[in-house]
Amino acid sequence: MGASDASGNAPMVVLASSRTVVTLPDDSLVLTPATICISPATGTILSIIPSLLPRSAFAPSVAYKDHSPRVLIPGLVDAHVHLNEPGRTEWEGFQTGTKAAASGGVTTVIDMPLNAIPPTTTLEGFKVKLAASQGQCWVDVGFYGGVIPGNADQLLPLVEAGVRGFKGFLIDSGVDEFPAVSSKDISLAMTALKDSPTTLMFHAEMIPPISDSVGDAVQQSLPPLAPRGDLASYSTFLESRPPAFETYAVEEIVSLAELAPKLHLHIVHLSALECIPLLREARARGVNITAETCFHYLALASDHIEDGDTRHKCCPPIRSLSNQDRLWAELSAPDSCIRTVVSDHSPCTPELKLLPLHLQSTTPPSPGSDIDRPFMRHSDSGVDVSMPSNEAEAKTTPVQAQNAGDFFAAWGGISSVGLGLPILHTAASDRAAHGETVPDLLDIVRLCSQATAKQVGLAHRKGALRVGMDADVCVFDDEEVWTLRSGGMRWKNKVSPWEGHTFKGRVRETWVRGEKVFELGARNGGFVGGKPVGRAIVERRVE
């Protein structure tokens, strides 16, 4: 076998292992010994030999490594990430967010359209987002567009510009730039996109008409149920966003699906088990609708959340262990309506989490970080809270005095990009040890790589180890046991409910299009290439 790839421009790279998750021609997955030959020049997989070839089978100039018994899997495609740049880069940016992704075997992230300023709701906003991403991405990045009131005329131009799908909120998003949509807005979006190869996604929470906080004004996405109880109690917060919020939203979306029978509809971050029969029934009637759930819903439960620990706040909320059991059961079902698992990495500054003093990180800010941040108002819980009346007061009032531990005043979002593979593998292993039927390693690849790539129209390039695909490879040690500490978080703000958790399974290397971008324990904090190699994905979606 020659030392160079087919173009003759660069030495070939060979990655081998006795355990490799390979995608077969019929899209099924198999765990097998394999030797993968990669062209760094084209960034693609040249060949896959279904056996473990030794170093001696290749010319001396070939870069060869046998990773046995660690497993080689396709790089993860995280189809739900908030990078927030430009405008709220102090929450997260392309540089830090994609570094965190790379450190966890994620080789492609899809950026959500809100929390950046401007949001990706117009063609001009998309151009601003693309300009901000240039030269900063350590993995490949695709982009969603947003659906808001009054932007129906922007949706097709955004399709042409290469967005991978669209997202709308049926409840207050928490930021003024991204208001919730009404049934009329949904109808306009479905009509505009009905013949386009795209995905229309929804944050599926909606105020039910029986809510005593809104009366009959169900289309206005007014505040959630008024809290009854201690605002630092997680149970108070959980009760304010009951499962009915999700089921009512799903029913509303399904009721409008006939406007666009071919359009792929998708429910993001499904948390409530009560939605599952609604989605199953809709799919049985031919409605093209699927759902995703998140790592935190599968491995965190309300039963174990301490009062005041606002690191756990997200919307929809983390629910009970019994609810979690039903999500796992659905994942394991052969005809599951939950097709993908994603992070919904939605970070913010530590100040916005309003953590009590005993939960605040003692890790000092990194050099050059913005530590003098003004307090930012928001309303993602829809509850009016008492905040400083001006910026000067905000800077002089201790965070602990500003509603510390208040689940309604704190920003909602879980930081976890790049941590999903250890989370899911650990939780599945624990459940399997108790005799439960759970997704195995092949299923995890299907849920987090193959199906997420398909969801965003990238299955022709991403999410599989197969000849001709992008050479995105994750080297995963599925036996290593380790504990996440604040200093080990790669995202910008070291605030996450996963701090202190012990995991089984750790990513050792990450390759993006034939280039090694991360190696655990190596120079430059593991980012061995020394510079970002990720690209913005702006090809027009065709499927």
Side-chain angles (χ1 to χ4, degrees), residues 197-219:
T198 193
T199 299
L200 181 57
M201 310 181 302
F202 298 96
H203 179 125
E205 284 186 292
M206 195 172 188
I207 311 299
I210 59 171
S211 169
D212 59 9
S213 66
V214 298
D216 294 327
V218 296
Q219 298 299 336

Side-chain angles (χ1 to χ4, degrees), residues 118-137:
T120 314
T121 53
T122 65
L123 187 58
E124 185 57 36
F126 185 34
K127 291 176 181 178
V128 173
K129 169 76 76 169
L130 286 174
S133 72
Q134 295 303 303
Q136 294 206 75
C137 301

Side-chain angles (χ1 to χ4, degrees), residues 21-77:
V21 178
V22 173
T23 303
L24 300 179
D26 64 355
D27 284 340
S28 62
L29 301 172
V30 61
L31 184 64
T32 179
T35 304
I36 303 173
C37 301
I38 294 169
S39 166
T42 65
T44 58
I45 297 174
L46 294 172
S47 64
I48 299 179
I49 298 93
S51 62
L52 189 61
L53 297 183
R55 177 70 183 85
S56 59
F58 300 93
S61 60
V62 169
Y64 172 96
K65 187 168 183 179
D66 179 1
H67 287 280
S68 305
R70 294 166 180 164
V71 62
L72 302 182
I73 66 173
L76 275 64
V77 178

Side-chain angles (χ1 to χ4, degrees), residues 402-416:
Q402 300 172 4
N403 310 88
D406 183 337
F407 279 98
F408 293 85
W411 178 259
I414 304 289
S415 291
S416 63

Side-chain angles (χ1 to χ4, degrees), residues 464-492:
L465 297 182
R466 185 161 54 190
V467 173
M469 302 288 282
D470 285 358
D472 296 345
V473 184
C474 167
V475 181
F476 185 54
D477 184 341
D478 58 344
E479 293 296 330
E480 181 175 349
V481 176
W482 61 287
T483 301
L484 178 69
R485 303 299 181 192
S486 177
M489 299 178 191
R490 306 280 184 168
W491 45 81
K492 193 179 193 77

Side-chain angles (χ1 to χ4, degrees), residues 412-497:
I414 304 289
S415 291
S416 63
V417 67
L419 198 59
L421 186 55
I423 292 170
L424 201 55
H425 178 66
T426 302
S429 297
D430 289 346
R431 285 176 171 267
H434 289 87
E436 297 183 36
T437 300
V438 294
D440 60 15
L441 186 59
L442 297 182
D443 292 320
I444 290 174
V445 169
R446 173 177 52 82
L447 291 163
C448 301
S449 298
Q450 184 182 52
T452 45
K454 182 178 180 181
Q455 178 182 313
V456 296
L458 290 173
H460 62 293
R461 290 179 49 187
K462 304 289 186 181
L465 297 182
R466 185 161 54 190
V467 173
M469 302 288 282
D470 285 358
D472 296 345
V473 184
C474 167
V475 181
F476 185 54
D477 184 341
D478 58 344
E479 293 296 330
E480 181 175 349
V481 176
W482 61 287
T483 301
L484 178 69
R485 303 299 181 192
S486 177
M489 299 178 191
R490 306 280 184 168
W491 45 81
K492 193 179 193 77
N493 293 291
K494 317 304 182 187
V495 180
S496 175

